[in-house]
Amino acid sequence: MKKPLVIALLILLALALLAAMAELPAVGQADAPVHTHVSARYIEQGEAETGAHNLVTAVLLNYRGMDTFGEVLVLFTALCAGFAVLLAAARNGNKHYRQPPAPQESGAVPVIAVSPVVSFVVRLLAPFIALFAAYVILKGHLSPGGGFQGGMILGALFIALTLVLGKQYSARLLPVAWRPWLYALAPAAFLVVGMIGLQLTGYFLGYPQEPAWHGVREAMMVTLEIAIGVGGAVLVASLFLALESD
Amino acid sequence: MLPEMLLELRPNLDYAAVVVLFCIGLYAVIVKNNLIKKLLGLNIMETAVFAFIVTSGMVEGGAPPVLGPGVMPPLASPLPHALILTGIVVALATTALALALIIRIYLQHGTIEADQLRELD
């Protein structure tokens, strides 16, 4: 009874959206507004002004660096909120917790053992995945890639290793006591690099423009990329492991 | 009216795919009873929005906006890509928080079916 009504409403919504889409400039048209305002400037002068060959990184870290600062703060806040929710659940002792209805046929949920094939392949590929992640993070301003992408690769590798080799192994790889410091690595790096920019140019997150300062500019960008990558990796892995435990 | 719209839509067929994806996600959010399935629907909607904005940055015959030897204009607009990179990270954050909340709901009430949760109140 509910479904046909929802489908009818969604068809109406789709028609309205399609009507709006029909009014947009054609896909791929070179004189659409998205290509003519700031984008044109970014493409013409982005490399000279930021020193990044990858213009997406130029926009992300330089032109719209403040937005990226906010973004890493959003990630950090999500981690804090997730931990708070899960910790409160653990501390309550789950006194409201009612036993879920027992599965009818299968009985108890079986513990899934990791297949030796999966375990071998993960261990075999781990160094290469780590190397690829480092490449994506460090070369993010010159080639496709960047801190967020490399961080996700690194975080996924960490999750895979934890699932295959157990928590003792991942604790040896990255001691639990270090993790809280790494959660805040990306926002802290933005703060530090922003302050350096303030000192050098008079603007928070400003980058020096003179050719002589090119090395400093590049070092600032790479610092941010590494902080975003490592911080993001630890954040994602920790969120996953927090969800997975109990 | 409808045939005219379809004719106008023809150069924008990529956008039409996005609309379909968005509606599939919204359908899951409204109709599905399981909170995790609702969350998956939300993620499908987010994907539709990301695809829409990235598609708008494309240019006919354009290269990716990474400069280097042999890269000739026209280049795709880098701004939508950077915006969507931000959007994807925020979507990840909201998904993780929503999953944590769903786990909490399950621990508290022993169910994540929306209709059963409504009866509890």
Side-chain angles (χ1 to χ4, degrees):
Chain A
M1 178 206 101
K2 197 177 146 194
K3 261 185 201 174
L5 185 69
V6 172
I7 291 175
L9 276 174
L10 284 179
I11 288 176
L12 277 181
L13 175 73
L15 282 177
L17 284 175
L18 285 175
M21 298 287 179
E23 297 295 316
L24 288 175
V27 177
Q29 202 180 327
D31 56 356
V34 65
H35 297 297
T36 51
H37 293 273
V38 280
S39 284
R41 151 98 185 219
Y42 291 162
I43 287 172
E44 271 164 32
Q45 320 225 333
E47 194 179 10
E49 281 181 345
T50 68
H53 296 284
N54 184 349
L55 294 174
V56 178
T57 306
V59 174
L60 209 64
L61 292 185
N62 199 317
Y63 291 116
R64 309 229 56 90
M66 270 314 234
D67 292 2
T68 313
F69 186 21
E71 180 189 357
V72 296
L73 281 176
V74 166
L75 253 186
F76 182 68
T77 313
L79 178 91
C80 296
F83 275 8
V85 168
L86 292 173
L87 275 183
R91 195 165 301 159
N92 257 355
N94 305 331
K95 56 181 176 228
H96 304 297
Y97 175 48
R98 296 189 313 200
Q99 212 56 39
Q104 277 85 20
E105 306 112 65
S106 55
V109 184
V111 178
I112 303 163
V114 179
S115 117
V117 178
V118 173
S119 164
F120 177 75
V121 169
V122 166
R123 278 184 295 165
L124 180 72
L125 288 181
F128 300 105
I129 298 174
L131 186 68
F132 179 56
Y135 175 80
V136 170
I137 292 173
L138 293 176
K139 284 281 182 184
H141 57 302
L142 300 176
S143 64
F148 289 109
Q149 296 92 320
M152 291 308 120
I153 298 171
L154 208 57
L157 171 68
F158 194 76
I159 291 171
L161 283 176
T162 309
L163 290 182
V164 167
L165 298 171
K167 286 202 165 153
Q168 293 85 1
Y169 182 81
S170 68
R172 229 174 1 155
L173 208 62
L174 181 66
V176 180
W178 293 9
R179 291 181 197 173
W181 299 98
L182 292 176
Y183 298 153
L185 185 63
F190 262 94
L191 210 58
V192 169
V193 171
M195 284 304 174
I196 293 172
L198 187 66
Q199 202 63 32
L200 291 176
T201 65
Y203 297 101
F204 185 74
L205 270 176
Y207 293 80
Q209 291 280 338
E210 298 83 24
W213 287 84
H214 182 69
V216 175
R217 196 167 60 177
E218 195 148 332
M220 286 165 77
M221 273 195 295
V222 172
T223 308
L224 286 183
E225 294 276 33
I226 293 174
I228 291 172
V230 176
V234 177
L235 241 147
V236 168
S238 304
L239 267 174
F240 177 81
L241 295 176
L243 291 177
E244 186 238 19
S245 71
D246 68 346
Chain B
M1 175 214 159
L2 201 62
E4 275 171 43
M5 193 183 96
L6 286 178
L7 213 60
E8 269 183 63
L9 197 62
R10 226 178 53 192
N12 285 354
L13 265 186
D14 310 40
Y15 292 155
V18 165
V19 171
V20 172
L21 201 58
F22 186 86
C23 288
I24 291 173
L26 193 55
Y27 175 83
V29 170
I30 297 174
V31 171
K32 292 294 171 188
N33 204 20
N34 188 309
L35 292 185
I36 297 223
K37 290 182 182 166
K38 277 183 193 287
L39 186 60
L40 286 177
L42 193 69
N43 271 298
I44 296 173
M45 285 167 75
E46 281 165 352
T47 309
V49 173
F50 299 156
F52 170 57
I53 297 180
V54 166
T55 308
S56 77
M58 192 184 81
V59 64
E60 198 66 51
V66 180
L67 300 175
V71 178
M72 302 296 277
L75 299 179
S77 172
L79 191 60
H81 292 80
L83 284 177
I84 291 315
L85 193 55
T86 310
I88 289 172
V89 173
V90 173
L92 174 101
T94 52
T95 305
L97 183 55
L99 282 174
L101 286 171
I102 290 173
I103 288 178
R104 184 89 161 84
I105 289 171
Y106 182 76
L107 289 176
Q108 198 105 7
H109 301 296
T111 177
I112 52 170
E113 302 291 327
D115 54 354
Q116 292 178 19
L117 285 170
R118 214 167 288 131
E119 281 168 24
L120 285 176
D121 297 331

